[in-house]
Amino acid sequence: IAFCIMVTSANDHDPQWDFDSFYDWFFEFEDRLLEEAEHDTKSIGEYVTPAPFHPHWQFEGDDDALSFEKRSPYPTVSIVCTSEIEKAGDEVTQQIGIQNAHTLTNMGSAALEEFYEKNVYQRSAHSQSYQKPYATIEDMEDDHDDMM
């Protein structure tokens, strides 16, 4: 497995998972992984790169549009095998960031906020705080078609 996503079962209105609490929790989690990797060569922290996402993510001092790169319906952590990032190389990972920044700034924060509110946030707010995984790809596609 090269990529994994951890999603909280709570919604973002739970005080435990508000942006500041989640942000603090994530960096504590990341520090523990890195500290463990320093002391144990078989540590998972040696092999994975975690990245946080949150419904209210906001980069400090950046254009609001760029913050949408780190937004998700629920407080989420993606975990990617570090070796996969290394295989892609610096040029590819930088290109992804450049393309994301270009797309988001061209759309603008007002359009992104409207899209996010309509298509992401309201759907997640009206759903259960935890959505069971789809049993099959067809189930996921059917659900997606129903939403459109």
Side-chain angles (χ1 to χ4, degrees):
I1 298 174
F3 183 77
C4 173
I5 297 178
M6 296 181 348
V7 180
T8 67
S9 61
N11 63 42
D12 67 304
H13 300 293
D14 182 336
Q16 179 183 358
W17 295 107
D18 68 8
F19 178 72
D20 291 332
S21 299
F22 175 74
Y23 191 79
D24 292 343
W25 172 86
F26 172 78
F27 283 104
E28 204 172 289
F29 169 72
E30 186 177 47
D31 286 346
R32 282 185 299 208
L33 283 177
L34 295 173
E35 185 178 308
E36 188 179 288
E38 287 176 10
H39 299 357
D40 181 0
T41 58
K42 294 183 181 184
S43 161
I44 192 168
E46 183 80 10
Y47 302 103
V48 298
T49 302
F53 299 86
H54 192 277
H56 302 292
W57 188 276
Q58 184 66 47
F59 286 119
E60 202 169 312
D62 280 337
D63 178 349
D64 288 342
L66 295 178
S67 294
F68 282 87
E69 183 178 34
K70 299 285 279 179
R71 296 232 178 138
S72 63
Y74 303 100
T76 303
V77 175
S78 75
I79 299 175
V80 181
C81 285
T82 303
S83 62
E84 295 300 314
I85 296 170
E86 291 168 351
K87 278 184 203 174
D90 288 341
E91 187 176 325
V92 170
T93 56
Q94 287 174 1
Q95 230 7 72
I96 292 169
I98 290 167
Q99 182 61 42
N100 288 350
H102 177 77
T103 301
L104 294 171
T105 54
N106 280 345
M107 288 183 75
S109 58
L112 288 164
E113 191 68 53
E114 181 181 336
F115 176 85
Y116 189 84
E117 181 68 29
K118 180 181 176 188
N119 295 292
V120 178
Y121 192 67
Q122 285 195 2
R123 284 192 184 148
S124 65
H126 287 90
S127 69
Q128 299 286 18
S129 61
Y130 174 75
Q131 181 178 354
K132 293 180 182 174
Y134 295 105
T136 67
I137 296 291
E138 290 78 19
D139 291 344
M140 182 178 70
E141 290 170 343
D142 290 345
D143 192 34
H144 182 286
D145 290 343
D146 290 344
M147 287 190 271
M148 296 311 211

